Amino acid sequence: VQLQASGGGLVQPGGSLRLSCAASGSIFVINSMGWYRQAPGKQRELVAAITSGGSTNYADSVKGRATISRDNAQNTVYLQMNSLKPEDTAIYYCNADGYDGSLRNFGSWGQGTKVTVSS
């Protein structure tokens, strides 16, 4: 199962951005989908995650500013981020886990999309 992320770019502080990540391949079911980020010199951290049933989990640093959603029919997860801050600058990675068409468990990462928040 492959993940393709898009939507990163340069945004001014206070601005907004929407990231998308589409899963493709032989997919039976996707359980959890999520977004992580890694800033220079820091460890990768969870930003937000969403289950197939729609339950969500957010990092404290983005609560109130980020909304994760998914389109199960399109195997796509989105991350809407508002009121962006310079500390949101990072490479954002999407993640998904579930079962492929052969009913084997998978855990996949997207290639990363860079978000830079700067004036």
Side-chain angles (χ1 to χ4, degrees):
V1 175
Q2 299 80 42
L3 301 181
Q4 180 69 44
S6 61
L10 174 64
V11 185
Q12 291 189 340
S16 298
L17 206 62
R18 190 191 196 209
L19 305 180
S20 301
C21 177
S24 62
S26 180
I27 299 169
F28 178 71
V29 66
I30 299 177
N31 294 327
S32 178
M33 302 186 82
W35 289 93
Y36 291 72
R37 66 186 180 187
Q38 187 166 18
K42 294 188 176 182
Q43 290 188 332
R44 190 173 298 190
E45 62 176 3
L46 173 71
V47 178
I50 185 169
T51 68
S52 57
S55 297
T56 58
N57 180 38
Y58 295 93
D60 288 343
S61 59
V62 303
K63 280 181 180 177
R65 302 189 296 118
T67 301
I68 189 170
S69 60
R70 63 188 281 178
D71 183 335
N72 291 329
Q74 298 295 324
N75 292 324
T76 301
V77 63
Y78 305 95
L79 182 69
Q80 175 72 40
M81 291 197 68
N82 303 318
S83 303
L84 283 161
K85 305 174 182 179
E87 49 264 43
D88 294 317
T89 295
I91 297 177
Y92 285 69
Y93 298 90
C94 57
N95 171 270
D97 67 76
Y99 291 90
D100 65 17
S102 298
L103 298 182
R104 293 173 300 193
N105 182 249
F106 75 86
S108 298
W109 290 92
Q111 82 285 9
T113 184
K114 188 173 183 180
V115 173
T116 303
V117 184
S118 175
S119 55

